[in-house]
Amino acid sequence: MSTTHEAGWAHASGALRGPAWLRQPVDPNALVPQLWSMTAHKAGGELHVGGLSVPELVANVNTPAYVLDEADFRARARAFRDAFAAYDVFYAGKAFLCTAVAQWVHEEGLSLDVCSDGELTVALRAGFDPARIGYHGNNKSLVELRRAVAAGVGRIVVDSFDEISRLETITAEAGMTARVMVRVTAGVEAHTHEYIATAHEDQKFGFSITSGDALEAVRRVEAAPGIELLGLHSHIGSQIFDSSGFEVAARRVLALQARISDELGVTLPELDLGGGFGIAYTTQDDPSDPAQLATEMTKIVEHECRALGIPEPRLSVEPGRAIVGPAMCTVYTIGTVKAVQLDGGAVRSYVSVDGGMSDNIRTALYDADYSCTLVNRVSDAPPVLSRVVGKHCEAGDVVVKDEFLPGDLAPGDLLAVPGTGAYCRSMASNYNHALRPPVVAVRDGVARVVVRRETEDDLLATDMGDAS
Ligand SMILES: Cc1ncc(COP(=O)(O)O)c(C=O)c1O
């Protein structure tokens, strides 16, 4: 990323070369396989996913549209289930959840992690076994916790002393037991290949190990007659490509577990190491596969437990992005193409599409990198460095910051962005009163709209007008 301009990368005059990792493709019509779902391929310049031509598909459902490769989702879910066979694998629904996806997660034998009342509603509506649901969140209200306990949610991950008090009240009044994990902050912040181990934790999630809050939370939970403590929970970050951050976190969390055993005489049967496994958004990303991660994480926990003289807890993980991220792509129609003259005479091609930050906020929010390709025809035009932007009233409304795209792109052409399954539809908004796009699941030549496009009636349904 170039940040030579005080207003940020989007204004940097030196950015025309693109980021250092971006290479001009040998064949700009070809897909880069590691960025796409398993059934994606091109034929005659047209993208096919799930046995269907994407241009034909969007001729029916319109654009923008998220195309979800069901076989790919299921294969990734199974890969995690099998690689982590000795663990419980909770699919993190915050990445993307709808009732169809909750059913696939159930059918593939995974458990489900929800982090809000709304996600719990979707899971229950899908008929997901509540005993296999984990419930996260740093501010679960009395009402939300009461519902979770009454529904028989298998584990509630407590995040504050206030939540512990609420669960004490709920279990006492209902005569029920809540099964909980205590979320701790291990002082590790992981992102891609780097992690930072810190002594203090300046963020909202979890109980600090170093301050003693985590031990105190365990003491409180243990003393509450209606609460059953399953174990500790640690989640260290996102887009993580190797196990070194998990290693530091596991060491710190297991040291706490040993202390709990010594000081409270309590053996915790379970340990959750969270999610955060990375995926490839661009050619610079090289994620580990689930089997490799599972082997490394198991080794770390075995080694630490042996060194500490404590029994090995049953482990669980919570992958979201790594299951749904690569399974989806977003298809857009190009509306305008503008050559913008930069300082020094260079020209950047601004390609505007019919969606933007309302269907993918990650570029603006996290400075995320994406890739994209032309999907409705072959082009022989030389590639030019392009920026794909949305149609919202915001200069930062960028979908793909830098990509080499054919120089003859024109209004009406289709672009597809791979890797948009995680945190795109789930974070989508109605900014500028945009209608959120549909999610179309494709499999074996059949398309099913699993989330329909919003309508203007949906938009106006909550607008009560002026009652005076
Ligand atoms: C507690 C917890 N578990 C799991 C996840 C899923 O992370 P990812 O989708 O990166 O695997 C998150 C994401 O924020 C999280 O906060």
Side-chain angles (χ1 to χ4, degrees):
M1 181 184 75
S2 170
T3 51
T4 51
H5 194 287
E6 62 180 7
W9 60 266
H11 299 265
S13 59
L16 189 64
R17 292 182 306 275
W21 54 265
L22 188 69
R23 298 274 174 277
Q24 187 152 334
V26 178
D27 176 6
N29 293 296
L31 295 185
V32 179
Q34 68 266 31
L35 306 183
W36 291 85
S37 63
M38 59 184 266
T39 71
H41 65 276
K42 274 191 176 176
E46 286 193 359
L47 177 65
H48 289 243
V49 183
L52 290 171
S53 151
V54 167
E56 284 175 25
L57 178 71
V58 299
N60 291 323
V61 300
N62 214 338
T63 56
Y66 302 100
V67 178
L68 171 56
D69 186 337
E70 179 178 345
D72 185 271
F73 181 98
R74 286 179 181 271
R76 287 178 202 276
R78 280 196 298 275
F80 268 94
R81 182 198 67 197
D82 295 345
F84 289 86
Y87 294 45
D88 291 314
V89 179
F90 286 73
Y91 168 68
K94 68 201 71 164
F96 174 69
L97 192 66
C98 62
T99 52
V101 159
Q103 281 158 5
W104 303 348
V105 170
H106 161 72
E107 286 162 13
E108 299 304 337
L110 276 65
S111 298
L112 180 62
D113 151 17
V114 300
C115 70
S116 70
D117 209 31
E119 288 180 9
L120 180 61
T121 299
V122 173
L124 296 177
R125 182 173 165 195
F128 209 93
D129 177 4
R132 291 181 41 224
I133 294 177
Y135 194 167
H136 270 285
N138 66 301
N139 181 13
K140 299 184 273 305
S141 70
L142 196 63
V143 171
E144 289 164 342
L145 288 169
R146 195 174 275 134
R147 181 186 186 204
V149 173
V153 162
R155 62 189 212 184
I156 296 170
V157 183
V158 294
D159 200 282
S160 65
F161 291 111
D162 294 311
E163 285 187 357
I164 296 173
S165 301
R166 287 171 199 158
L167 283 173
E168 286 167 342
T169 304
I170 292 164
T171 52
E173 73 189 14
M176 296 178 81
T177 300
R179 291 156 59 85
V180 312
M181 303 196 90
V182 169
R183 179 158 175 180
V184 301
T185 37
V188 179
E189 211 183 293
H191 185 70
T192 60
H193 295 291
E194 294 150 24
Y195 70 87
I196 307 164
T198 56
H200 72 285
E201 303 92 2
D202 190 5
Q203 48 102 3
K204 70 174 184 173
F205 290 111
F207 294 94
S208 159
I209 295 178
T210 46
S211 74
D213 279 356
L215 188 60
E216 181 53 25
V218 168
R219 207 175 262 130
R220 277 274 304 274
V221 167
E222 267 297 298
I227 306 182
E228 180 189 347
L229 178 59
L230 300 174
L232 302 176
H233 185 290
S234 152
H235 171 78
I236 58 170
S238 63
Q239 264 299 83
I240 302 165
F241 285 162
D242 62 42
S243 59
S244 49
F246 289 108
E247 181 167 1
V248 179
R251 201 175 298 135
R252 291 180 177 180
V253 175
L254 287 166
L256 173 65
Q257 193 134 324
R259 218 176 135 195
I260 290 166
S261 170
D262 282 352
E263 294 185 24
L264 309 182
V266 172
T267 301
L268 298 177
E270 297 184 23
L271 170 64
D272 193 299
L273 292 172
F277 311 105
I279 65 168
Y281 286 109
T282 69
T283 52
Q284 71 187 315
D285 301 326
D286 184 20
S288 307
D289 71 33
Q292 188 183 341
L293 283 164
T295 306
E296 288 168 7
M297 288 170 76
T298 306
K299 225 185 272 171
I300 291 163
V301 172
E302 277 173 4
H303 176 267
E304 284 305 309
C305 287
R306 210 174 310 119
L308 291 162
I310 57 173
E312 279 172 43
R314 180 172 175 80
L315 296 173
S316 50
V317 286
E318 298 173 337
R321 183 194 316 271
I323 293 176
V324 73
M328 235 191 270
C329 66
T330 311
V331 187
Y332 300 101
T333 302
I334 294 172
T336 66
V337 181
K338 191 188 282 183
V340 175
Q341 189 97 20
L342 305 179
D343 298 349
V347 172
R348 186 197 305 283
S349 178
Y350 272 80
V351 179
S352 293
V353 295
D354 53 354
M357 64 194 302
S358 57
D359 58 74
N360 185 351
I361 190 66
R362 291 192 67 258
T363 309
L365 188 61
Y366 301 126
D367 192 26
D369 290 309
Y370 281 93
S371 311
C372 64
T373 188
L374 173 67
V375 295
N376 58 306
R377 64 182 173 89
V378 173
S379 169
D380 296 326
V384 294
L385 189 62
S386 306
R387 179 162 292 161
V388 179
V389 296
K391 62 182 294 174
H392 296 285
C393 284
E394 190 76 47
D397 174 25
V398 175
V399 180
V400 181
K401 287 182 285 184
D402 299 284
E403 179 62 288
F404 282 100
L405 291 170
D408 65 348
L409 291 186
D413 275 334
L414 298 175
L415 282 184
V417 178
T420 56
Y423 308 105
C424 289
R425 181 58 177 81
S426 64
M427 285 185 158
S429 77
N430 292 119
Y431 181 48
N432 295 151
H433 282 193
L435 304 173
R436 285 178 296 177
V439 179
V440 186
V442 291
R443 181 183 176 183
D444 298 334
V446 177
R448 285 182 300 138
V449 175
V450 292
V451 179
R452 70 158 168 78
R453 187 183 303 285
E454 283 180 329
T455 63
E456 287 189 346
D457 285 345
D458 292 328
L459 263 190
L460 294 172
T462 53
D463 184 336
M464 305 309 287
D466 184 355
S468 62

